[in-house]
């Protein structure tokens, strides 16, 4: 059994004061409720220290939204995996759809970022997903497996065993349109077949594959009940303790 992961991607929301308050509320809510899921909060860089402070002593973990692929040096404006690890982060998003499609990051850089995360002992949550036009033209499976292959191929199975995959169809992110559980499950199954080919059955079977895209308390239980869906990457609904806690099964 793969342990379910529920991650809250705060995107560019919550300054360090707001973030500390939200993280405390979430940690307190979880302490009262108990869950078997792994919970990860993913605030902006400047909010991270306050969140790490606020969740200290709880089971909640902290992740970053991005990292640079070098560990240090003359890279103005960038933050390295080494810095994130030193701060107390355990996870980092790599290749979130907004990084790919709004900021313009491509596979070559994302491959390096994935490796930088692993090198620094962070668990990368590697995001993949197709655009609406790609789904409508029947290319969703090819696009998504292509994204996984492009960045993950060549890793040793032992390295890959620390990677989390998040399938987030771009047309479902922030739009209120969730993929059906069936569509998400089918895509997760296809990804897992590719992982078997690349890394062997044992590594593929233990890789968590999360779904993301307009997850709400009302849609979470059905998604999480599917054997192929190992957790959720939540954006908008992670910005309020009540809705985030409402997504987490007890
Ligand atoms: P959303 O965002 O839940 O607001 O659609 C998900 C994500 O981008 O990770």
């Amino acid at each position: 059994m793969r342990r379910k992961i529920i991650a809250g991607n705060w995107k560019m929301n919550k300054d360090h004061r707001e973030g500390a308050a939200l993280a405390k509320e979430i940690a307190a809510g979880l302490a009262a409720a108990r869950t078997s899921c792994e919970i990860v909060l993913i605030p902006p860089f400047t909010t991270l220290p306050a969140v790490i402070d606020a969740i200290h002593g709880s089971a909640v973990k902290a992740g970053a939204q991005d990292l640079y692929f070098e560990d240090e040096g003359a890279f103005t404006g960038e933050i390295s995996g080494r810095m994130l690890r030193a701060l107390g982060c355990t996870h980092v998003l790599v290749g979130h759809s907004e990084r790919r499609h709004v900021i313009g990051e491509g596979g070559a850089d994302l491959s390096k970022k994935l490796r930088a995360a692993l090198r620094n002992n962070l668990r990368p949550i590697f995001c993949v997903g197709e655009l609406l036009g790609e789904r409508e033209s029947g290319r969703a499976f090819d696009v998504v497996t292509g994204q996984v292959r492009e960045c993950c191929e060549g890793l040793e199975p032992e390295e890959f065993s620390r990677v989390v995959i998040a399938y987030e169809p771009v047309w479902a992110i922030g739009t209120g349109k969730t993929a059906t559980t069936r569509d998400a499950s089918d895509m997760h199954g296809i990804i897992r077949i590719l992982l078997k080919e690349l890394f062997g059955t044992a590594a593929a079977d233990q890789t968590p594959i999360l779904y993301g895209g307009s997850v709400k308390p009302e849609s979470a239980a059905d998604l999480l009940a599917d054997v192929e869906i190992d957790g959720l990457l939540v954006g908008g609904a992670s910005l309020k303790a009540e809705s985030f806690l409402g997504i987490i099964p007890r």
Side-chain angles (χ1 to χ4, degrees):
M1 270 295 278
R2 295 178 291 265
R3 187 177 177 203
K4 306 253 183 199
I5 300 171
I6 314 284
N9 172 16
W10 295 0
K11 311 193 179 187
M12 201 175 74
N13 297 291
K14 306 290 174 191
D15 68 25
H16 64 289
R17 286 169 295 240
E18 297 161 339
L22 177 57
K24 272 194 195 130
E25 219 183 316
I26 290 169
L30 285 171
R34 300 182 75 81
T35 176
S36 58
C37 299
E38 179 169 276
I39 309 299
V40 189
L41 303 182
I42 311 182
F45 287 130
T46 53
T47 302
L48 264 172
V51 164
I52 288 172
D53 219 30
I55 60 180
H56 184 78
S58 79
V60 180
K61 295 178 172 162
Q65 296 174 13
D66 186 31
L67 80 170
Y68 194 57
F69 52 73
E70 298 287 353
D71 291 341
E72 62 180 13
F75 305 103
T76 302
E78 298 293 342
I79 303 284
S80 75
R82 202 164 98 183
M83 294 167 175
L84 296 172
R85 187 69 222 184
L87 201 59
C89 287
T90 51
H91 294 68
V92 62
L93 297 180
V94 174
H96 186 273
S97 129
E98 285 141 24
R99 304 277 336 156
R100 291 178 188 266
H101 299 293
V102 182
I103 317 282
E105 287 188 14
D109 280 0
L110 297 179
S111 281
K112 291 195 251 177
K113 289 185 172 195
L114 193 62
R115 283 155 182 77
L118 292 167
R119 178 170 77 234
N120 285 290
N121 209 13
L122 293 161
R123 262 199 112 168
I125 302 176
F126 179 63
C127 305
V128 293
E130 81 284 359
L131 298 163
L132 184 58
E134 293 166 339
R135 172 152 290 263
E136 286 174 345
S137 60
R139 289 164 49 226
F141 290 148
D142 286 348
V143 168
V144 169
T145 52
Q147 289 169 338
V148 174
R149 189 185 283 280
E150 180 180 37
C151 292
C152 297
E153 195 164 27
L155 288 171
E156 293 300 324
E158 194 280 318
E159 286 178 299
F160 181 75
S161 69
R162 288 182 288 125
V163 175
V164 177
I165 306 266
Y167 167 57
E168 298 200 297
V170 180
W171 48 269
I173 296 177
T175 57
K177 279 190 229 158
T178 320
T180 63
T181 299
R182 179 65 194 274
D183 282 344
S185 180
D186 286 352
M187 183 63 85
H188 289 209
I190 296 283
I191 294 171
R192 207 174 298 284
I193 289 169
L194 172 64
L195 297 182
K196 281 193 180 133
E197 180 199 315
L198 294 177
F199 303 107
T201 304
D205 281 346
Q206 58 118 52
T207 302
I209 306 180
L210 317 186
Y211 168 79
S214 295
V215 174
K216 301 278 177 292
E218 307 78 58
S219 54
D222 194 56
L223 288 160
L224 286 171
D226 191 282
V227 285
E228 283 293 346
I229 301 176
D230 304 315
L232 303 168
L233 181 53
V234 185
S238 72
L239 294 173
K240 288 210 167 80
E242 191 189 353
S243 49
F244 190 58
L245 290 169
I247 284 170
I248 299 168
R250 313 297 156 89

